Amino acid sequence: APLAPAAAAVVVPPSPRLARPLSVTGAPLDLRWNALRNVEYLTDGGNNWIHTAVMDGRPVVVKTLKPECQDLALAINEIEGELEIHSKLDHPNIVTLMGAGTTSKGSRFVVLERLDGGTLTQILGYDQLRIRDRRRRFWRKRKFTYEEVLRCAGSIARAMEYCHGGTA
């Protein structure tokens, strides 16, 4: 399994695309990699590696660019754009941005609240995990009641309304 970068990051100002060094929730956007403890590879997707870690005593998920993508403008713009948007969100049905930073090698990382339980696709049993994927320990397949389906759909709808300028 890939290992997390071992070197501690230097303090680097947040992306020039971001208007402030803190998110709307107060999450720092100039973290050092050494603020993370127990960093462990979890899975990968697209241009990113996903790790679990602990930050300030709380379980978190850390998203980093794969080494082969760290010099690709498309990948860099994607993670910077995601951070720019996520730093402006504060809603109970959207995963919380816990912080972000840049490693000593200049690669962006994003720290999100860890939500155990898996994705909806995984819980419904439609996700086929890859051999290197270690997420299975955080979820298990189960059937939803009609009320749970409605509650889940309502949560998704409120988050979508919020993202599109509503007040949900």
Side-chain angles (χ1 to χ4, degrees):
L3 298 176
V10 297
V11 176
V12 176
S15 166
R17 291 172 59 178
L18 299 171
R20 56 188 173 265
L22 297 175
S23 73
V24 296
T25 61
L29 303 179
D30 57 354
L31 289 175
R32 294 176 182 236
W33 182 263
N34 62 7
L36 304 170
R37 300 282 178 255
N38 304 326
V39 179
E40 183 181 328
Y41 174 81
L42 185 61
T43 190
D44 64 275
N47 299 319
N48 303 294
W49 278 347
I50 309 298
H51 298 79
T52 82
V54 176
M55 186 176 85
D56 297 330
R58 296 183 63 188
V60 295
V61 173
V62 184
K63 188 175 190 176
T64 61
L65 287 174
K66 292 178 182 175
E68 63 269 23
C69 299
Q70 291 177 1
D71 292 329
L72 297 175
L74 180 67
I76 294 167
N77 288 339
E78 183 180 286
I79 199 166
E80 291 292 337
E82 180 180 334
L83 178 57
E84 183 175 2
I85 291 168
H86 213 134
S87 70
K88 298 173 185 172
L89 301 177
D90 183 16
H91 190 273
N93 299 116
I94 298 173
V95 67
T96 302
L97 174 68
M98 304 298 290
T102 307
T103 66
S104 59
K105 295 184 179 182
S107 182
R108 172 65 76 192
F109 65 91
V110 177
V111 183
L112 303 167
E113 130 187 63
R114 190 177 86 200
L115 301 175
D116 295 339
T119 66
L120 186 57
T121 301
Q122 291 165 339
I123 293 169
L124 293 175
Y126 296 113
D127 188 41
Q128 299 301 319
L129 292 178
R130 299 177 304 275
I131 292 171
R132 288 181 34 204
D133 197 322
R134 302 180 65 187
R135 292 176 292 174
R136 186 173 298 274
R137 65 186 168 165
F138 296 116
W139 63 273
R140 60 177 186 220
K141 181 179 170 182
R142 69 182 186 85
K143 294 195 182 272
F144 281 83
T145 66
Y146 181 70
E147 291 81 16
E148 288 173 315
V149 169
L150 290 176
R151 205 169 23 256
C152 183
S155 294
I156 293 168
R158 285 186 294 280
M160 293 294 291
E161 182 182 5
Y162 171 80
C163 287
H164 290 276
T167 57

